[in-house]
Amino acid sequence: MVKGKNKQKVSYESQMKRPSTGKRVQRKQKQHKLRRLFLKTICITFIIALLLAVGAFAAFRYYTKDLKRETIDESALNVSTENQKQSTEMKIKNVAVFGVDSRNGDDTGNSDAIMIVSVDGNRGKVKMISIARDTYVNIPKYGRTKITHAYSYGGAELAMATLNENFGLDITDYITVNFEQLADIIEEMGGIDVELSETERVELNKYVPFGAEKVQQSGFVHLNGEQAVSYSRIRQIDSDDMRTSRQRKVMQCLFEKRAEISPLQYPSYIKKFMSMMETSLTDTEMLQMIPVAMNKNLILEQDSFPNDYIQVAGERVVTEVEGVRLWVYRYDLEEAAQMIHQFIYDDITFAQQKNSETMVE
């Protein structure tokens, strides 16, 4: 793609000093959190799928035959060889998870949700780091623009290369799920049960797609896939804390569904889940993750960029690639890469890293 001719010089230091306030920044942050919900739900669902696979180990290859596979040219991924060596030694597998918003059923377009998932075999942990779609990065062979555009320009391969180059990672595999499939996944898990106030019920129904069933009563109710997604989108009736609380409830309900599934249903669930995903992971690689997923004490940890522990500026810039003015998040990518490295390999959360810096000062 030809780079745009128009560029705008932006004082990075001055923008970094400006607080990320204002209605636009808040709206972008809310949108980002909703996309994080989607990716977290997909990741948890994928873990559940791996758990279910144990019950049908012998038939695993048969039931994953509907899984869309893609072969990746690893030489084009800008992999950090140092991190790759460390991952091998520590039994850590880093995978990119993309949520695409394609309305025609295929997995193309921008990656509206981006997550780095780290499966830690030694510690029995799964760590999830979401990257805001508006993060301003360099896309290899294209130039600087929003990270979300990498997927539309070169698919998962270029999107992984972009993550590796900007955050110093060793990602060689990915999972992609279409946003349309989130409601299907929740539906296949049997929906969720929540305590719903009358105010929430009325607001929820505003988000239910045209033609889908609306919720008729408040109290302790059962929500189907479409209703559960709508429930997670409620944002106008109370605080942002309450909205994120609803999002966590959706994830918790899905994770708890494991105990309700009969072993006789395992093959059917595996087949349904796998048909909703596209990946470069082989059967062998997925099966190697099962011991971590089976750990009854499995720990899920998550964070994101931007966050409260790194300076960030929300601004409009003329991008190098498109040559148009777009709203982006700008923060120190080298600092972010260091934070991610400590989180994945040293097992130090972003909050702990910040507290440590404060104590030194």
Side-chain angles (χ1 to χ4, degrees), residues 63-104:
Y63 285 102
T64 59
K65 66 183 180 66
D66 293 329
L67 180 62
K68 188 185 298 183
R69 308 274 190 174
E70 292 291 336
T71 301
I72 297 298
D73 178 9
E74 294 192 12
S75 66
L77 296 181
N78 300 327
V79 171
S80 167
T81 54
E82 181 179 348
N83 280 2
Q84 192 173 48
K85 180 180 179 181
Q86 192 168 4
S87 292
T88 301
E89 292 173 349
M90 298 182 67
K91 297 182 180 179
I92 290 174
K93 176 68 174 179
N94 296 315
V95 179
V97 180
F98 302 109
V100 297
D101 193 9
S102 175
R103 301 303 179 184
N104 58 8

Side-chain angles (χ1 to χ4, degrees), residues 38-39 42-43 95-101 107 110-117 147-148 150-151 155-163 171 173-179 181 278:
F38 173 78
L39 261 296
I42 295 306
C43 292
V95 179
V97 180
F98 302 109
V100 297
D101 193 9
D107 296 329
N110 294 336
S111 52
D112 284 344
I114 305 164
M115 184 168 285
I116 302 160
V117 177
I147 194 171
T148 183
Y151 201 100
E157 188 171 289
L158 182 59
M160 285 190 288
T162 300
L163 284 171
I171 296 173
D173 288 294
Y174 76 97
I175 302 166
T176 294
V177 181
N178 195 298
F179 271 92
Q181 297 163 332
E278 173 187 304

